[in-house]
Amino acid sequence: MIDIKQNITDKNYEKVLETLNALNISETDADSFRCEVDILLESFYVCHGSEEETVNRIAIKCLNLLKRACARGESFQNAIVSPVEFLERVRDILVDEKKTIPENVRTNCLQLLANLCVQNRSNQERIITYMQTFLLTNVSSNGSYANASAMILYNGFIYKAVDLNLHDVLARLLDNVEANQTAQTDVPEFVCIFLEYLIAESNEMVQVLEKIDVSKKLLLYRYLIEYIRQEDRRIHPIHPDVFKHLLAEFKKKSDMILKTDNVQLDAQDTEEAFTLLVMVADSTCVEPYGSFLRHDGGLFLNLGCLLRQMQLLGKSETKNMFTPVQKIEEILRIKQGDTELDIESEISYSLRSAVVKGLANLTYKSKKNQKLAREMDIIAAILECTNLDARNPLIKEWSILAIHNLCDDNLENQQFIAGLKKLGDAENSLLTEYKSGTIRISDGKA
């Protein structure tokens, strides 16, 4: 190892690489490694800024040996980080104000910092305290350093090595999610791991959910919708405290819809309520959420009343986002793009379907909810949903399932539906348009 410094001075780079390749970190004891660290770091500092291929290989080899040594445990990690100038020099390399450091050197430096933090609380504190601004910026900017930066912050957070501002951290993680959604790329592994910890393993997020911007809340809610839908995430369900908080938020936000007779709702609050509605409706299909939600009579009534209010708003003389689109001619024009009506971009798109889906799942094997549906006139509201509506795909199918679940092993509900009196034919746009000659059915002849 002593010869390395001289060989670098003499530019005998192949000899340096030969010596480094012969070094077996896995068999080095801690005392010997302390001596080797100084030589490895000094060699790295000399070579790190060179664009010459062989010199660059020496710099990367030094970093790889140091990274490998981190796996040997805390004493090896501490030996690397203990030199006074280490963090300052690494930070200067990472920041690279003059833009002269090769990218592979900077990437490996950050990976080394990440390895130094693994199960080492003191290093986590030192590195994150010294590099916090740089690390947070990397996560939110979604550059090539986002994953390693998230890994360092994640380790520091779960071991409570440093007092990180969760509000800021969550906002940065969601910035990363948004950037990847825009670019249609995968979210980095440790951004996902960090978010999963906050979602499933900890209830700390509840403290900051009220404080984050609405735009960030919507990002989080949509992330949670996908989280709930993914089968591989179901072994790590949302933390009960987080889920209960979100459920309470939905009930609170949906009250503004239930209490209004005006379709001109606050756009921001409405979008938040509707996004939570989709999350809750999807949750009713998945365990363990479904079993928990079926015991929440308040939620069932909330959804039932919400359905009735949507129907009431949809029957307003003025067409609005809740007005059903049931005319076949209009539906065909929408599918062909031959209309200015862009229903799929409206925040109300598929919402009534989501409500009926939630009601259908909440009545499954639930005598209490079956009874509530009958007594609170929710059955009638569901029966109104059996018509085609382009604004609400699959609403007919979900309403049929809801009726099945309402009547399953429930004689009272069966009798209630059987006892309904016919007041006239329900409006059926397909038949109406056919009879009026608006649409014609081909007889199949040429």
Side-chain angles (χ1 to χ4, degrees), residues 293-302 304-305 308 359 362-363 366-380 382 406 410 412-413 416:
L293 294 174
R294 279 193 289 276
H295 289 88
D296 189 339
L299 173 64
F300 185 80
L301 287 175
N302 185 288
C305 293
R308 289 164 56 185
L359 291 169
L362 292 176
T363 51
S366 173
K367 291 290 185 181
K368 181 179 74 172
N369 289 339
Q370 288 174 336
K371 182 180 180 182
L372 282 173
R374 183 176 67 254
E375 294 177 345
M376 301 304 295
D377 209 24
I378 295 172
I379 292 179
I382 292 173
L406 284 164
N410 192 306
E412 293 91 340
N413 282 355
F416 176 84

Side-chain angles (χ1 to χ4, degrees), residues 330-346:
E330 194 170 8
I331 293 172
L332 290 174
R333 288 176 62 195
I334 290 171
K335 288 186 176 295
Q336 294 166 358
D338 188 25
T339 177
E340 294 182 0
L341 188 61
D342 185 13
I343 58 175
E344 292 189 21
S345 66
E346 296 175 346

Side-chain angles (χ1 to χ4, degrees), residues 199 202-204 206 209 238-247:
I199 290 167
S202 167
N203 65 356
E204 295 166 272
V206 173
L209 283 176
I238 298 172
H239 191 283
D241 291 345
V242 175
F243 189 75
K244 289 174 185 176
H245 174 84
L246 295 171
L247 185 59

